[in-house]
């Protein structure tokens, strides 16, 4: 008897092959039957997937679940949307080597998860400080989806140099310290971690009081440090996940150079992120083809991360990382107290500097700083809701920067507003998701909990493709889209995920195409499990009918398995290599 039988579904194996009607049998966590004819054996549980798509579970390649999985390992908001494998330790921030307070200070401000929730959690439950011990923790933890992890370069630097020296621009690690970093990276790779994640963009800042508002430690590393660590990754065939310096953008070419395979082994390199940014609309259409061509000519193994949805973001007052981009925004975010911020916002000299930063039309940026695209969605003064800050400023004869500061003084974080930062042109997005130089990801799941929610990015890519088919202009065939979300990622990252075949682990999702609709884009909030009532933005929708992890039904028809996140037997720590 099968543990689970799935009948009559349009089956895709994650290889890029077209789908076919198949009947599946699962036993002992593995797929043991794939048949064009009805299964003769019985099953303890049967799912009739008539009219639905059956495919490998989705892979979320860029998340910041590092803290959440400690408190609530079910990671329900991803499982709800068919994700069966997530990758953590992104953007140089892992929680492998450093102490609890160091990990918290590196994580909370950058990823917009309150420090008062993260620090006590890590102080109480982080009992490891080596890669082997971290792997043991993951092996014994009641995971929901499968977990893969990078070693964060900021985590590595702090473990070797200490936090103070790691964020001192005058400090250059000694040869002995560089050898120690190499040895710890080797240990992480031996333990099955994917590779190294780094950060060279100076806008990401530390929390806490000790080194508050310093950039992440990875930013301070000399390039020779990256070269030394990349040699380890290249030798082992592992991955460097990075972020370029958005101030100059020039070190993109340094990352590309390190990835090249001219007279050496290529280094797998993936950078964040290739999106159609409103502030630089000329960049996205050329960057994908340019890097693809350079990679082909130089034998580089270089991929951008991209997201298949409009990049709509929300903010409570000024609690948003984009304000780190310019000096007056940095000055405000340096202040943890709302009272001190309000005092600053009233200062005439500060208001002048803020107006100048808003009006500046040239220079590096991600946020367009257009207050006509800053829409108030909630506020104690409900008469403001539904209007843009720019619209209200014109009506009052004010500079939009001045009005925004006045609203912050009056309402603080109770002023909730949204804007679209990128992916505003559907045709450009369709080209980006079909671009071979990209990988589908950068959902930032688990982070920016009040700013954005892209947990369902995978089904939204399927919607994009299905909508294109309905118009007669598909961005790509459906089977290619599924491969991009599953098999391509598993193969590129070198982990056992993303494919369905006989005697392989049965991680799969059943999608109802009739529910690939506008409901996937709706705004929702919910409590964050394990964080004492903390609320975050989430996704809903009914496109995913069932998610199976290791052959067990983790989610079905809107309900989670009662023991998900409570017992072992669902997700596993997936070791690279």
């Amino acid at each position: 008897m099968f543990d689970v039988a799935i009948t009559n579904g349009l089956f895709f194996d994650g290889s890029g092959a077209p789908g076919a009607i198949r009947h599946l049998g699962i036993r002992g966590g593995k797929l043991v039957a794939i048949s064009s004819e009805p299964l003769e054996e019985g099953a303890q549980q049967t799912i009739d997937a008539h009219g639905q798509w059956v495919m490998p579970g989705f892979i979320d390649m860029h998340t910041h679940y590092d803290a959440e999985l400690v408190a609530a390992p079910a990671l329900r908001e991803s499982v709800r949307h068919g994700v069966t494998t997530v990758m953590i330790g992104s953007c140089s921030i892992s929680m492998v080597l450093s102490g609890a307070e160091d990990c918290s200070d590196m994580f909370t401000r950058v990823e917009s998860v309150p420090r008062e929730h993260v620090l006590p959690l890590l102080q109480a439950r982080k009992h490891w400080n080596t890669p082997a011990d971290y792997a043991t923790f993951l092996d014994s933890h009641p995971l929901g989806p499968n977990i893969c992890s990078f070693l964060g370069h900021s985590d590595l630097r702090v473990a070797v140099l200490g936090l103070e020296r790691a964020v001192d621009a005058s400090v250059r690690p000694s040869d002995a310290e560089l050898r120690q970093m190499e040895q710890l990276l080797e240990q992480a790779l031996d333990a099955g971690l994917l590779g190294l994640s780094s950060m060279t963009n100076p806008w990401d800042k530390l929390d806490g009081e000790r080194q508050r508002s310093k950039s992440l430690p990875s930013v301070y590393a000399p390039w020779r440090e990256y070269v030394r660590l990349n040699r380890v990754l290249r030798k082992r065939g592992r991955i460097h996940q990075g972020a370029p310096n958005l101030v100059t953008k020039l070190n993109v070419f340094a990352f590309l150079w390190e990835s090249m395979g001219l007279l050496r082994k290529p280094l797998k390199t993936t950078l964040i992120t290739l999106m159609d940014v409103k502030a630089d609309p000329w960049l996205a259409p050329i960057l994908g083809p340019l890097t693809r061509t350079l990679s082909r000519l130089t034998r580089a193994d270089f991929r951008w991360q991209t997201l298949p949805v409009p990049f709509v973001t929300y903010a409570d007052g000024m609690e948003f990382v984009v304000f780190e981009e310019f000096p007056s925004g940095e000055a405000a975010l340096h202040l943890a107290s709302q009272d001190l911020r309000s005092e600053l916002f009233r200062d005439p000299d500060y208001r002048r500097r803020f107006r100048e930063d808003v009006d500046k039309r040239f220079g590096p940026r991600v946020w367009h700083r257009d207050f006509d695209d800053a829409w108030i969605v909630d506020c104690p003064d409900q008469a403001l809701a539904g209007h843009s800050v720019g619209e209200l400023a014109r009506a009052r004869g004010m500079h939009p920067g001045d009005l925004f500061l006045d609203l912050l003084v009056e309402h603080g974080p109770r002023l909730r507003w949204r804007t679209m930062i990128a992916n505003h042109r559907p045709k450009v997005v369709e080209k980006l998701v079909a671009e071979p130089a990209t990988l589908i990801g950068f959902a930032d799941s688990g982070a920016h909990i009040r700013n954005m929610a892209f947990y369902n990015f995978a089904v939204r890519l399927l919607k994009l493709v299905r909508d294109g088919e309905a118009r007669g202009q598909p961005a790509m065939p459906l089977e290619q889209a599924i491969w991009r979300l599953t098999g391509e990622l598993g193969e590129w990252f070198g982990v056992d995920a993303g494919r369905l075949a006989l005697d392989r682990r049965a991680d799969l999702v059943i999608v109802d195409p009739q529910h690939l609709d506008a409901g996937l884009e709706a705004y929702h909030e919910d409590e964050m499990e394990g964080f004492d009532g903390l609320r975050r933005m989430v996704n809903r929708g009914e496109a995913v009918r069932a998610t199976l992890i290791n052959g067990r039904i983790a989610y079905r028809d809107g309900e989670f398995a009662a023991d998900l996140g409570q017992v072992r037997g669902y997700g596993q720590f997936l070791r690279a290599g």
Side-chain angles (χ1 to χ4, degrees), residues 271-344:
L271 295 189
I272 60 171
T273 179
L274 181 55
M275 290 193 289
D276 184 22
V277 179
K278 290 181 73 174
D280 289 315
W282 57 273
L283 190 59
I286 66 171
L287 196 54
L290 176 62
T291 53
R292 173 173 20 107
T293 300
L294 290 175
S295 293
R296 184 177 66 250
L297 293 176
T298 62
R299 295 185 59 246
D301 196 347
F302 182 98
R303 304 289 187 93
W304 292 100
Q305 299 175 27
T306 195
L307 196 64
V309 301
F311 202 73
V312 178
T313 58
Y314 291 70
D316 296 324
M318 201 181 269
E319 297 298 332
F320 196 18
V321 69
V322 296
F323 287 97
E324 306 275 18
E325 294 181 350
F326 50 90
S328 59
E330 285 183 299
L333 292 179
H334 176 70
L335 303 174
S337 163
Q338 291 296 328
D339 290 339
L340 291 176
R341 287 187 188 181
S342 293
E343 183 180 345
L344 180 68

Side-chain angles (χ1 to χ4, degrees), residues 529-544:
E529 185 182 6
F531 282 79
D532 298 324
L534 184 65
R535 296 185 68 81
R536 66 172 164 191
M537 290 179 59
V538 298
N539 302 125
R540 289 297 181 259
E542 302 177 8
V544 172

Side-chain angles (χ1 to χ4, degrees), residues 195-426:
L196 185 76
S197 71
S198 66
M199 173 59 65
T200 66
N201 182 33
W203 297 341
D204 289 343
K205 303 292 173 48
L206 293 177
D207 208 345
E209 299 301 327
R210 298 172 300 159
Q211 299 294 328
R212 185 174 180 82
S213 296
K214 292 287 189 70
S215 297
L216 286 177
S218 185
V219 173
Y220 296 90
W223 193 255
R224 72 185 186 98
E225 184 176 321
Y226 286 109
V227 171
R228 291 272 296 258
L229 298 173
N230 282 341
R231 288 174 187 163
V232 176
L233 298 173
R234 185 178 289 108
K235 178 184 68 175
R236 299 286 295 270
R238 300 295 178 84
I239 297 164
H240 188 145
Q241 179 209 80
N245 185 330
L246 296 178
V247 175
T248 65
K249 299 182 176 66
L250 295 178
N251 72 347
V252 168
F253 295 101
F255 281 105
L256 183 59
W257 171 261
E258 282 292 293
S259 181
M260 290 178 183
L262 299 174
L263 303 179
R264 62 182 180 182
K265 186 178 181 180
L267 172 65
K268 285 189 172 184
T269 304
T270 175
L271 295 189
I272 60 171
T273 179
L274 181 55
M275 290 193 289
D276 184 22
V277 179
K278 290 181 73 174
D280 289 315
W282 57 273
L283 190 59
I286 66 171
L287 196 54
L290 176 62
T291 53
R292 173 173 20 107
T293 300
L294 290 175
S295 293
R296 184 177 66 250
L297 293 176
T298 62
R299 295 185 59 246
D301 196 347
F302 182 98
R303 304 289 187 93
W304 292 100
Q305 299 175 27
T306 195
L307 196 64
V309 301
F311 202 73
V312 178
T313 58
Y314 291 70
D316 296 324
M318 201 181 269
E319 297 298 332
F320 196 18
V321 69
V322 296
F323 287 97
E324 306 275 18
E325 294 181 350
F326 50 90
S328 59
E330 285 183 299
L333 292 179
H334 176 70
L335 303 174
S337 163
Q338 291 296 328
D339 290 339
L340 291 176
R341 287 187 188 181
S342 293
E343 183 180 345
L344 180 68
F345 296 155
R346 293 187 185 98
D347 179 74
D349 182 61
Y350 177 83
R351 294 171 74 91
R352 176 187 57 78
R353 290 184 284 120
F354 186 78
R355 289 194 301 270
E356 291 174 352
D357 285 334
V358 167
D359 289 339
K360 190 175 182 180
R361 290 289 171 256
F362 300 100
R365 66 182 63 199
V366 172
W367 180 36
H368 45 71
R369 303 175 205 173
D370 177 8
F371 279 105
D372 282 322
D373 185 13
W375 298 90
I376 298 172
V377 296
D378 194 18
C379 180
D381 183 355
Q382 285 298 303
L384 303 181
H387 297 279
S388 74
V389 174
E391 174 190 354
L392 294 170
R394 282 191 298 275
R396 301 182 188 188
M398 298 178 64
H399 188 282
D402 283 329
L403 178 60
F404 183 66
L405 294 178
D406 286 346
L407 293 174
L408 294 184
V409 170
E410 185 174 359
H411 304 297
R414 295 175 297 172
L415 177 73
R416 188 152 177 80
W417 57 282
R418 64 172 170 80
T419 188
M420 183 181 292
I421 288 180
N423 286 1
H424 54 296
R425 297 181 292 185

